[in-house]
Amino acid sequence: MVTVDELFAIDSLLTDTERQIRDTVRAFGEQRLRPHVADWFEQGTFPARELAPELGALGLLGMHLDGYGCAGTSATEYGVACMELEAVDSGVRSMVSVQGSLAMTAIHEYGTEEQKQHWLPQMAAGRALGCFGLTEPDFGSNPGGMRTRAVRDGADWVLNGSKMWITNGSVADIAVVWARTEEGVRGFLVPAGTPGFTAREMHRKLSLRASVTAELDLDGVRLPGDALLPDGKGLSAPLGCLSEARFGIVFGALGAAADCLTAAIDYARTREVFDKPLAAYQLTQAKLADMAVELGKGQLLALHLGRLKDRGELRPEQVSAGKLNSTREAIAIARQCRTILGANGITLDYPVLRHANNLESVLTYEGTAEVHQLVLGEALTGSKAFR
Ligand SMILES: Cc1cc2nc3c(=O)[nH]c(=O)nc-3n(C[C@H](O)[C@H](O)[C@H](O)COP(=O)(O)OP(=O)(O)OC[C@H]3O[C@@H](n4cnc5c(N)ncnc54)[C@H](O)[C@@H]3O)c2cc1C
């Protein structure tokens, strides 16, 4: 018997450091997260504040950023870590992605030296949590339509508006909020507890239940002038952060798919139907073979994109191709694995439907599948078809 990794000789493509990171994060996930994750999912909770210092100690928060207490790993090493975290649950990887790729990247790329010195070391250590508020109730795929406004009042800024679907929102110490100003879209650092700023956790989710999602309300929030991120101007600033987070998803979603496939193969080898193991039926083997091929192809593409990023050559439409492929194939694999587990597949005793439900969010956030098709369509034809 071979694993999918062995089938595609994935190990031979990884460096020693990448293998070491994979093994360390996998061990942490198995020991510290997996025993609890089904309960967190069932209860709709995630102990973000409790886990953050442990994730920080492993160097996983803002791990691909340089300086300020960040681990400064390569992009591919970050991707490998995302894959292992999401093998446990997309909620865990989402928390790490939002902290590192969105909130910390925004401060790292667009902040002042004082903002970086103040926030990044404590965020890298997991002593402070961040969130990234771009989406609004009426503007998700088209953030350029945002209604949240920031206006100058003397040396201060005053923000009004609301943000929705914000990961880590109600547990964050610092919210990176994007708002329309007279000079276009700008980013602001809004500390929790600022008068007029409220974050309410959203409930009744059927996906990403082991993750904190919140609605942010900004009602006359007065911020000092130095709350502005000076170097992020226009919509390209938040979109730059999103491209970083999408890169993590290219790897992460495949971790969830790999976990489903492992569960389905284990199950098929022991479950007897019509007097022999389910794994011994051609129909089952066809499903497993097709899923293994898609998973392996996805991993090879992710590694290729990782190498391009490490060489500084990765283009946004290539990230779109990876995000589209990984999320679309991962959700198809999770659903197909569920069929192999029959009725058991719909319970939290197995990870497959939990992953499949999580992947609905992963398919949707950081640009929906359709948005990435449109990005690729534009790259291939030269015609924009967003409107
Ligand atoms: C669990 C979760 C966590 C999230 N975390 C964050 C976060 O931390 N920060 C943040 O800012 N946002 C976050 N989001 C929001 C996420 O980024 C948005 O949900 C996403 O961008 C899609 O926006 P929407 O939900 O408003 O859908 P819409 O934009 O309303 O899209 C609805 C449908 O229309 C399609 N569509 C849109 N435009 C076109 C078009 N031009 N042509 C054809 N079809 C189109 C879409 O693909 C989709 O199928 C999160 C979402 C979820 C579910």
Side-chain angles (χ1 to χ4, degrees), residues 98 132-135 140-141 164-167 208 213 361 364-366 368 370 374 386:
V98 167
F132 185 90
L134 179 65
T135 304
S141 301
M164 203 169 175
W165 301 110
I166 307 307
T167 303
L208 229 63
T213 314
S361 291
T364 298
Y365 64 26
E366 315 286 353
T368 64
E370 293 80 2
L374 292 171
F386 288 88

Side-chain angles (χ1 to χ4, degrees), residues 148-282:
T148 299
R149 290 197 70 87
V151 292
R152 276 200 185 274
D153 185 20
D156 294 348
W157 287 94
V158 178
L159 272 65
N160 282 288
S162 60
K163 299 287 173 180
M164 203 169 175
W165 301 110
I166 307 307
T167 303
N168 299 349
S170 52
V171 290
D173 302 279
I174 188 74
V176 175
V177 172
W178 299 94
R180 183 182 295 288
T181 72
E182 280 186 353
E183 313 140 29
V185 171
R186 304 298 299 264
F188 295 87
L189 296 181
V190 185
T194 305
F197 175 68
T198 43
R200 271 185 313 279
E201 187 168 358
M202 297 171 68
H203 297 288
R204 296 169 65 84
K205 289 181 298 174
L206 297 174
S207 171
L208 229 63
R209 289 180 56 75
S211 172
V212 177
T213 314
E215 217 174 324
L216 310 182
D217 197 51
L218 300 122
D219 183 8
V221 174
R222 180 172 289 275
L223 299 171
D226 63 6
L228 176 77
L229 293 172
D231 295 335
K233 294 182 183 146
L235 203 55
S236 60
L239 296 185
C241 301
L242 289 173
S243 195
E244 290 297 314
R246 276 170 200 149
F247 173 79
I249 295 173
V250 174
F251 284 81
L254 299 174
D259 194 52
C260 291
L261 189 52
T262 303
I265 292 170
D266 286 350
Y267 189 87
R269 291 182 63 236
T270 52
R271 173 74 175 176
E272 297 222 340
V273 292
F274 295 96
D275 308 321
K276 65 177 185 182
L278 184 54
Y281 287 89
Q282 289 182 349

